[in-house]
Amino acid sequence: MSTRELRRIALDGELTIMTAAEQKERLLAALQGSGGLRVDLSGVEELDTAGLQILLLARREAARLDLPFELGAPAGNVAAVLALAGLAAEEE
Amino acid sequence: MSTDDDMREALDTFVTEARDLVQQLEEGLLDLEVRPAAADTVNTVFRAAHTLKGSSGLFGLRHLVQFTHVVETVLGSVREGDLEVSPGLVSALLPCADHIGTMIEGLAGGRLEPDAAQAAEGAALLAGLEPYLGDGPGATAVRHAEDAGAAPERSWRLSLRFGADCLRNGMDPLSFLRYLGSIGTVSRVSVDDSGLPAAEQMDPETCYLAFEAELLSGAPKEEIEAVFEFVREDSDIRIVPAEHQLDAYVRAIRAMPESDRVGDVLISSGAVTELEMAEALHIQQEQAVRSGTRPVPIGEILVEHGIVPRPIVDAALNRQRKTIETRSQDTQTIRIDAARLDRLIDLVGELVIAQSSTGLRAGAGGEAQSEVMRLVDEVRHSALALRMVPIGTTLRRFERVVRDVCVELGKEVSLVITGGDAEMDKALVERISDPLLHLVRNSLDHGIEAPAERRRHGKAAQGTLRLNAYHDAGNIVIEVGDDGRGLDREKILAKAVERGVVDADAVLTDAEVHDLIFEPGFSTASTVSSLSGRGVGMDVVRRNVTGLRGSIEVETTRGAGTTIRIRLPLTLAIIDGFLVGVGPSSFIVPLDRVTEIVELPSGPLGRDCMNLRGEVLPFIRLRDLFDIPGEPARRQSVVIVEQSGQRTGLVVDALLGELQTVIKPLGVLFSGLSCISGSTILGSGEIALILDVGPLVADHSEREHVRARRAA
Amino acid sequence: MAKTILIVDDSASVRQVVSIALKGAGYDVIAGVDGKDALAKLNGQRIHLIISDVNMPNMDGITFVAEARKLPAYKFTPIIMLTTESQEDKKRQAQAAGAKAWVTKPFQPEQMLSAVAKLIAP
């Protein structure tokens, strides 16, 4: 299981209620069959509660599968939202 | 375009809108002067002021906002029916409309703030509205802003469980959290994602998250609560004082002034908001209804629902207990809807009627009967006492009037108010205030001399106007007295002759002459000043007073002053009457007017008058007056009534005894009858008319005068 | 990238002042003079928040909100209704149509700013 590679996925645009449905599918699909997920947030311009919720869901799914899950490189305002929610992004 | 240009343009738009509104305000006020009860006009005027305030707020025009706020508040109480439109009110408001207009024109000319003179004018105008302002809030919007920041910072524990639909409604919990940062310092945020369902069941548009956070802020709890107002209904928002601050609340509650309501204590401690209390009360009621048991104490509900920690509730409960223990004879007041009170008075009235009916049927026998009578009497007294208010508030309104009128007339007058705690029916207080206003103006205008003239006569330059009220034999007496020039007998008499009110050779006593000032169209002032230019004369004052079943008299000493004395019943609702019968009809004579009752001497009489202990007593045959058919009783009685020192007899068939009765206003059918003040339903179901002694006697003596003149 | 707000009100002075205040706070603002005009402006651009008056000619605010909610792009957009104290029933109707936030007229620009700031950052 842990032999598989850490998969990187880059999200961009809005990670909000407007896109939550498709982002959820993307993240869960990416997690399937991976050796863990590193979500690159540098292209995300906007993050709201719906988006945060998707990230939390993906993190929990990864934990359930006993896989590593990392958030990386958020832009300023997205980093601020994550910090506000008490979720600091991990350093690479 | 720069922001300044934008603002300039918006301001131009506003000026155009505002001119229109000021015009509406002014026209409406003028209309109210003519039709004081026009509800549509009251609405228009209120809305104009309301919109003016709103738009001024938009531009941050503080002076205009504050000024229109007061005008709006006054108009608001008119709209709510708490304040009646009076000439005094309209003349206080009209210059306010002018002032707003001036400010708007100033804006058009590029001046955003008033100059010193305008600011002073505005302040003076607002001071003029002071008497019309209740205890309500002043310029709240502005005060809030100034208060903020002064409060000490407090620590709050926030527990935020948002509704499932909030995301779909465009409400973003993270955005509210971010906003919290603008009213305080947010720390220790934690996200609770335990509500997230399995991945495949998770609807990405439903909110599953809850947040916990700590906030350090000087803002009152209401302001923190307001951050979540758009989601409050569907969410579970808890804002609780942080653990380490509980002691501070407990100490604060211990030091608070006495109160016997836990809720009030908690709200003023700042731990609970009004909204939370209202919700808790709602829960309390619902629970009680559902379980059919006694309501759970409110403190328990607050604790149970996590609105406030138990130590704070306990402190509040202790405070309450102490208050109840220490309270001895503190006067406590509650506010009651006037309509409910009226309903109670009405019912008590019915009770009085029903009771007099049992009195009629059962006679005066029986211990139980007399006990019921005593109780009904006490209930009546207590019910009427509920309507009683001190007259002082009304009298104090004149301080302002006196000041303004003095400035206008260049006179110096000090106002002395005594007996302000004398109580009377609230409805009467309201209706007597305009007549009093006229009397006060009259004294200032015609009674008290200018300082120079006073000095010439060896008086102090400053005149004194006295307003005095006291209870006297079931009446309230209100005096308006001045130390002015007094009434001029010769001048009055000359005028009365000129007007044809009295004959040139008539011999009148001083009192009769002084009474002439109350005749219609009588005015001794050779020039009509702007103050009395309202077309209201002393005759209207007298008509108003007698309309309230009162009387008015004047006492004057040439060169030393005049006192006008108004005597009114304490209430309009119930009358102590004497029931008399004429043929099949019944009449009630107000008991306080009856001086004695004698038998009508038999045998031929001089024209309608008789000899009463050597005096000539004129009398009125009610049978003739009301055209009642049938033969008079063999032995008739004379009820002797007194009005303004004049005694007159009323000839009736039967004396049916004293009773208390509730006055029902007359329908339009009888509105032409000046000598009937109302009607009442007797215990027997019959209707009795209540005689209005004042006009009855006055009309009669007028007819006699005419007859006497014709005879001569 | 500044967020865009649409203000819909038939009073020119309200539109102007709200625009000035919001622009000052860092938002982009476009304006509509009534519901119909505003509905036309929804297409072809991303609008992050809508502020609408209730009583307007051509199309009132409540109809406008209901129509906007039918568009996929505006299904979840926060909407602030401008209500007055005496219009509790209108406020209810607006909420049912999908406008869950409100500002009570008359308001000062700061009140509008704080209502907007609760819902979206600039």
Side-chain angles (χ1 to χ4, degrees):
Chain A
M1 198 163 73
S2 53
T3 53
R4 273 179 286 186
E5 274 204 10
L6 190 69
R7 193 174 287 171
R8 286 169 183 264
I9 178 170
L11 301 180
D12 51 15
E14 287 185 20
L15 189 49
T16 67
I17 179 127
M18 299 298 291
T19 61
E22 56 184 274
Q23 304 279 31
K24 174 194 168 197
E25 297 311 320
R26 253 189 98 192
L27 277 175
L28 290 179
L31 197 58
Q32 288 302 319
S34 75
L37 211 53
R38 174 163 185 89
V39 185
D40 180 357
L41 297 172
S42 60
V44 174
E45 287 158 4
E46 213 187 322
L47 177 69
D48 70 359
T49 306
L52 174 70
Q53 209 170 234
I54 299 299
L55 293 178
L56 291 172
L57 181 79
R59 186 179 71 172
R60 198 196 62 191
E61 284 304 296
R64 196 172 59 85
L65 300 169
D66 208 13
L67 294 173
F69 180 85
E70 292 168 11
L71 295 176
N77 60 331
V78 173
V81 174
L82 286 175
L84 183 67
L87 293 175
E90 293 102 44
E91 294 300 320
E92 190 157 2
Chain B
M1 234 198 275
S2 75
T3 307
D4 282 353
D5 287 339
D6 287 344
M7 210 56 199
R8 183 74 249 155
E9 200 186 312
L11 208 55
D12 287 345
T13 317
F14 169 63
V15 166
T16 316
E17 282 173 3
R19 281 184 180 135
D20 201 36
L21 291 166
V22 171
Q23 197 182 343
Q24 281 177 27
L25 187 59
E26 196 180 325
E27 283 170 2
L29 286 173
L30 289 172
D31 184 36
L32 284 181
E33 191 153 45
V34 191
R35 307 185 302 140
D40 52 338
T41 309
V42 170
N43 264 325
T44 311
V45 169
F46 172 78
R47 267 204 315 273
H50 182 73
T51 313
L52 271 168
K53 181 180 101 177
S55 311
S56 318
L58 230 49
F59 289 93
L61 302 167
R62 283 182 45 160
H63 177 76
L64 257 182
V65 173
Q66 276 169 310
F67 190 83
T68 48
H69 174 79
V70 179
V71 173
E72 184 203 4
T73 307
V74 170
L75 290 170
S77 15
V78 172
R79 194 177 64 148
E80 298 302 317
D82 296 337
L83 181 66
E84 268 184 50
V85 176
S86 61
L89 177 62
V90 173
S91 35
L93 283 170
L94 271 174
C96 292
D98 295 342
H99 180 71
I100 298 172
T102 313
M103 297 302 303
I104 300 294
E105 292 319 313
L107 274 178
R111 285 187 308 280
L112 292 180
E113 287 296 319
D115 59 35
Q118 286 169 335
E121 183 194 55
L125 287 170
L126 291 190
L129 291 179
E130 203 109 303
Y132 302 102
L133 284 168
D135 315 323
T140 44
V142 182
R143 229 177 276 154
H144 266 298
E146 283 162 6
D147 283 352
E153 293 209 318
R154 294 199 275 192
S155 201
W156 301 91
R157 183 91 211 127
L158 274 54
S159 157
L160 315 167
R161 196 161 287 280
F162 294 93
D165 283 335
C166 73
L167 302 176
R168 276 189 281 269
N169 290 329
M171 304 291 131
D172 181 7
L174 283 172
S175 189
F176 295 118
L177 272 177
R178 181 184 40 74
Y179 182 84
L180 274 180
S182 68
I183 62 168
T185 313
V186 183
S187 61
R188 301 205 198 168
V189 180
S190 67
V191 186
D192 175 4
D193 61 357
S194 59
L196 272 174
E200 54 275 18
Q201 270 127 47
M202 188 262 188
D203 174 354
E205 284 147 17
T206 297
C207 183
Y208 299 102
L209 301 184
F211 297 83
E212 298 269 329
E214 232 172 77
L215 175 72
L216 183 65
S217 171
K221 191 176 182 186
E222 279 78 9
E223 201 176 323
I224 305 169
E225 187 179 70
V227 171
F228 304 98
E229 67 177 328
F230 301 144
V231 290
R232 189 177 175 81
E233 225 165 277
D234 308 314
S235 308
D236 188 13
I237 307 290
R238 296 273 167 264
I239 304 161
V240 185
E243 196 81 21
H244 63 270
Q245 289 214 321
L246 292 186
D247 283 352
Y249 282 95
V250 171
R251 275 197 305 275
I253 286 172
R254 280 198 199 122
M256 270 169 56
E258 302 198 338
S259 166
D260 58 349
R261 295 183 58 190
V262 181
D264 290 348
V265 173
L266 289 171
I267 289 171
S268 35
S269 78
V272 178
T273 65
E274 304 247 3
L275 206 58
E276 288 173 328
M277 190 54 69
E279 280 172 2
L281 286 168
H282 186 72
I283 295 172
Q284 182 189 38
Q285 272 175 9
E286 256 186 8
Q287 278 185 357
V289 169
R290 211 176 317 124
S291 62
T293 53
R294 285 170 51 113
V296 178
I298 193 73
E300 288 305 310
I301 291 181
L302 289 167
V303 172
E304 192 186 316
H305 286 78
I307 294 171
V308 63
R310 184 169 293 279
I312 294 182
V313 169
D314 286 348
L317 282 170
N318 271 329
R319 173 79 263 179
Q320 175 197 33
R321 216 164 290 138
K322 282 221 186 77
T323 305
I324 290 171
E325 281 162 11
T326 54
R327 187 192 321 139
S328 46
Q329 290 183 330
D330 283 0
T331 44
Q332 299 264 325
T333 56
I334 52 167
R335 285 167 178 271
I336 308 174
D337 182 6
R340 286 199 199 178
L341 209 50
D342 286 347
R343 173 82 185 127
L344 175 66
I345 305 277
D346 259 7
L347 284 174
V348 171
E350 305 285 336
L351 186 63
V352 171
I353 291 170
Q355 185 251 341
S356 48
S357 125
T358 61
L360 285 177
R361 283 188 197 133
E367 217 172 285
Q369 176 77 18
S370 69
E371 177 67 3
V372 170
M373 278 173 69
R374 189 187 64 77
L375 286 174
V376 167
D377 199 46
E378 268 189 35
V379 169
R380 180 189 76 104
H381 275 292
S382 325
L384 288 179
L386 294 179
R387 288 183 64 95
M388 296 296 178
V389 293
I391 194 176
T393 330
T394 303
L395 297 184
R396 277 190 296 277
R397 275 179 37 189
F398 294 118
E399 284 170 356
R400 178 74 203 177
V401 174
V402 169
R403 224 207 67 166
D404 286 355
V405 171
C406 285
V407 170
E408 194 166 330
L409 297 176
K411 293 182 179 175
E412 291 167 35
V413 178
S414 83
L415 175 66
V416 180
I417 296 174
T418 45
D421 50 359
E423 293 189 326
M424 66 192 289
D425 194 311
K426 187 167 191 302
L428 267 171
V429 171
E430 282 160 9
R431 289 161 70 175
I432 200 61
S433 110
D434 266 5
L436 281 179
L437 177 66
H438 185 79
L439 291 179
V440 165
R441 286 193 152 145
N442 217 51
S443 271
L444 296 171
D445 215 14
H446 309 307
I448 296 176
E449 315 89 331
E453 189 185 338
R454 289 179 67 88
R455 267 189 233 107
R456 263 205 310 283
H457 290 95
K459 291 177 170 182
Q462 187 183 53
T464 305
L465 182 72
R466 286 177 200 283
L467 292 176
N468 182 30
Y470 56 92
H471 283 170
D472 177 45
N475 289 303
I476 185 160
V477 178
I478 307 167
E479 294 176 340
V480 180
D482 65 56
D483 63 349
R485 53 172 77 97
L487 293 180
D488 185 338
R489 181 192 154 99
E490 300 316 317
K491 219 163 149 187
I492 294 172
L493 203 52
K495 190 89 169 195
V497 171
E498 180 195 318
R499 293 275 158 101
V501 179
V502 293
D503 292 336
D505 53 354
V507 181
L508 298 174
T509 64
D510 282 353
E512 281 167 332
V513 172
H514 297 149
D515 239 26
L516 290 172
I517 61 168
F518 296 115
E519 290 300 320
F522 198 91
S523 166
T524 52
S526 23
T527 54
V528 175
S529 82
S530 70
L531 298 169
S532 35
R534 299 195 163 271
V536 184
M538 294 291 270
D539 58 320
V540 177
V541 172
R542 179 164 71 177
R543 205 159 60 227
N544 286 342
V545 170
T546 48
L548 298 172
R549 302 210 318 270
S551 62
I552 188 165
E553 61 186 41
V554 53
E555 188 185 299
T556 184
T557 309
R558 188 88 184 96
T562 305
T563 297
I564 309 266
R565 195 169 290 117
I566 293 177
R567 186 178 285 269
L568 291 170
L570 291 177
T571 177
L572 294 175
I574 292 188
I575 188 171
D576 277 315
F578 192 81
L579 185 64
V580 298
V582 181
S585 308
S586 301
F587 295 93
I588 288 166
V589 187
L591 199 58
D592 57 355
R593 294 280 183 249
V594 177
T595 56
E596 63 180 305
I597 293 167
V598 296
E599 201 169 302
L600 185 71
S602 54
L605 293 161
R607 231 190 37 247
D608 291 346
C609 51
M610 60 182 271
N611 180 330
L612 179 70
R613 292 188 293 275
E615 267 182 57
V616 176
L617 177 81
F619 59 72
I620 303 168
R621 293 175 194 271
L622 291 185
R623 180 177 292 278
D624 296 349
L625 186 66
F626 292 104
D627 286 332
I628 298 164
E631 278 300 303
R634 211 147 30 88
R635 293 175 58 183
Q636 295 184 93
S637 301
V638 181
V639 178
I640 300 172
V641 293
E642 188 174 323
Q643 171 77 34
S644 315
Q646 191 181 354
R647 298 211 294 178
T648 309
L650 304 175
V651 180
V652 302
D653 286 352
L655 303 172
L656 302 172
E658 292 177 22
L659 84 171
Q660 284 174 346
T661 186
V662 178
I663 301 179
K664 302 263 180 199
L666 284 176
V668 280
L669 203 60
F670 293 97
S671 56
L673 284 179
S674 66
C675 51
I676 303 291
S677 61
S679 70
T680 190
I681 300 165
L682 298 176
S684 60
E686 258 181 85
I687 288 178
L689 296 176
I690 300 167
L691 296 176
D692 196 349
V693 171
L696 187 70
V697 171
D699 286 1
H700 184 69
S701 55
E702 209 168 284
R703 278 196 299 276
E704 288 299 293
H705 263 296
V706 173
R707 210 184 307 180
R709 241 179 283 169
R710 268 199 219 119
Chain C
M1 205 184 70
K3 298 210 177 110
T4 305
I5 296 174
L6 170 65
I7 159 81
V8 193
D9 197 306
D10 56 333
S11 157
S13 72
V14 171
R15 286 198 304 272
Q16 282 170 321
V17 175
V18 169
S19 301
I20 295 164
L22 292 175
K23 280 178 186 164
Y27 299 95
D28 284 342
V29 184
I30 54 177
V33 300
D34 58 42
K36 216 168 162 186
D37 180 40
L39 207 53
K41 292 204 159 109
L42 289 181
N43 291 315
Q45 54 196 322
R46 173 89 161 95
I47 290 166
H48 295 82
L49 182 139
I50 296 169
I51 302 166
S52 173
D53 193 17
V54 175
N55 296 315
M56 292 179 293
N58 294 322
M59 184 189 284
D60 70 54
I62 291 165
T63 315
F64 162 64
V65 169
E67 289 299 315
R69 278 279 182 256
K70 289 182 193 164
L71 304 171
Y74 295 97
K75 243 163 81 182
F76 308 128
T77 306
I79 304 177
I80 297 176
M81 213 76 204
L82 300 179
T83 59
T84 58
E85 282 158 44
S86 53
Q87 285 184 317
E88 197 55 37
D89 55 326
K90 293 274 179 204
K91 190 162 130 186
R92 288 280 148 204
Q93 288 175 31
Q95 290 193 353
K100 298 287 175 173
W102 63 87
V103 169
T104 308
K105 275 189 173 181
F107 56 86
Q108 298 184 345
E110 305 84 72
Q111 288 169 280
M112 175 56 77
L113 275 180
S114 88
V116 168
K118 285 173 194 171
L119 300 172
I120 62 168

